[in-house]
Amino acid sequence: ITLRDTRISNRGQGKLFNALKHSHLFASLSDEQLDRVCHNASNTKLKENQALFKQGDEVHRFYVVLTGQIKLFVLSPKGQEKVIDVVSDGQMFAEALMFMDKPHYQVNATAITETEVLGIDAKDFKAMLRDSVDTCFFLLADMSIRLKSLIHEIDTLSLQTGNCRVAAYLLDSTPENTDTFKLNIPKNLIASRVSVKPETFSRILKELAEKGILSVKGGEITILDREALKTMSTGR
């Protein structure tokens, strides 16, 4: 399938302007700067399993997911897939690469479902940052949070068992003020995300259900014993 970037119409730019105005990254930009972002942005619609970019491609844009989900992953020499992250509505990715000289994407990006992304011109946005100190700090804060999360994930993958990683993932996936939620991505992708085999992930869910720690109904999870799940996530 051929990937097509579409320039945004004037009407579409107006809707995009209002949406970006409420985004923490773009909120500090002036109206003139936001107009510039919208004018240089492109809109890309992806079908299920369609690639947005591949590892090693030259970076021209960073992206915001408007609808759908993007899977960021790398492939081993044997072709095995390791999911690095799943990016959903309103989330941004690949923005840090704009600060590198002659940057190339470090991962592959593929749509999990039908997905629409907004492509922001990386070179032009980097030039605009020189005039917006507040946006620089917002961007640095966002990248710092992600870096901290990645360091935590490396520690988890290195030091904890599969049971610990699954328990931690379930806790992190639980929305605030509720114990019931739906797994919003396929189980095989979650398994790759926490570095276990799909059958191992299913077995761990079954064991947690048998112990009364949670209940599983299709893709819906209900945490029944949060303290027990927290204890398991720490490996104690």
Side-chain angles (χ1 to χ4, degrees), residues 167 171 179 208 212-214 223-236:
L171 287 170
D179 287 323
L208 292 172
I213 295 176
L214 53 79
I223 298 176
L224 304 174
D225 189 339
R226 183 173 291 273
E227 290 306 313
L229 196 61
K230 286 182 179 179
T231 299
M232 179 176 287
S233 71
T234 61
R236 295 201 299 267

Side-chain angles (χ1 to χ4, degrees), residues 30-49:
S30 66
D31 288 353
E32 182 180 354
Q33 289 173 318
L34 275 176
D35 280 333
R36 177 173 164 180
V37 170
C38 294
H39 178 75
N40 291 312
S42 65
N43 189 52
T44 304
K45 294 183 179 180
L46 302 162
K47 295 185 181 298
E48 181 179 350
N49 296 322

Side-chain angles (χ1 to χ4, degrees), residues 85-224:
D85 202 0
V86 173
V87 192
S88 302
D89 297 11
Q91 294 182 310
M92 183 171 53
F93 60 100
E95 73 280 7
L97 297 175
M98 76 174 98
F99 298 106
M100 298 174 63
D101 291 329
K102 298 180 180 180
H104 293 80
Y105 293 112
Q106 305 298 305
V107 297
N108 303 284
T110 297
I112 297 175
T113 61
E114 287 192 0
T115 299
E116 184 176 0
V117 297
L118 175 70
I120 307 295
D121 187 301
K123 184 177 180 180
D124 186 66
F125 192 84
K126 180 181 177 181
M128 278 204 318
L129 288 177
R130 301 179 187 277
D131 302 321
S132 181
V133 175
D134 287 343
T135 304
C136 288
F137 278 107
F138 276 125
L139 190 59
L140 284 171
D142 183 71
M143 289 190 291
S144 296
I145 291 170
R146 289 199 215 178
L147 178 60
K148 183 178 180 180
S149 176
L150 287 172
I151 292 173
H152 174 71
E153 182 177 343
I154 291 171
D155 288 340
T156 299
L157 292 174
S158 303
L159 303 175
Q160 295 186 350
T161 65
N163 289 43
C164 296
R165 297 196 295 273
V166 171
Y169 178 88
L170 294 174
L171 287 170
D172 290 341
S173 300
T174 311
E176 293 183 7
N177 304 318
T178 182
D179 287 323
T180 300
F181 62 97
K182 288 186 177 181
L183 298 175
N184 60 0
I185 60 175
K187 290 182 180 179
N188 65 309
L189 295 185
I190 298 175
S192 177
R193 185 76 176 84
V194 297
S195 295
V196 299
K197 294 181 178 180
E199 57 268 27
T200 301
F201 179 72
S202 296
R203 175 182 57 77
I204 293 172
L205 287 184
K206 183 178 179 181
E207 290 176 355
L208 292 172
E210 290 174 347
K211 292 178 180 178
I213 295 176
L214 53 79
S215 68
V216 182
K217 295 181 180 179
E220 185 175 270
I221 304 289
T222 299
I223 298 176
L224 304 174

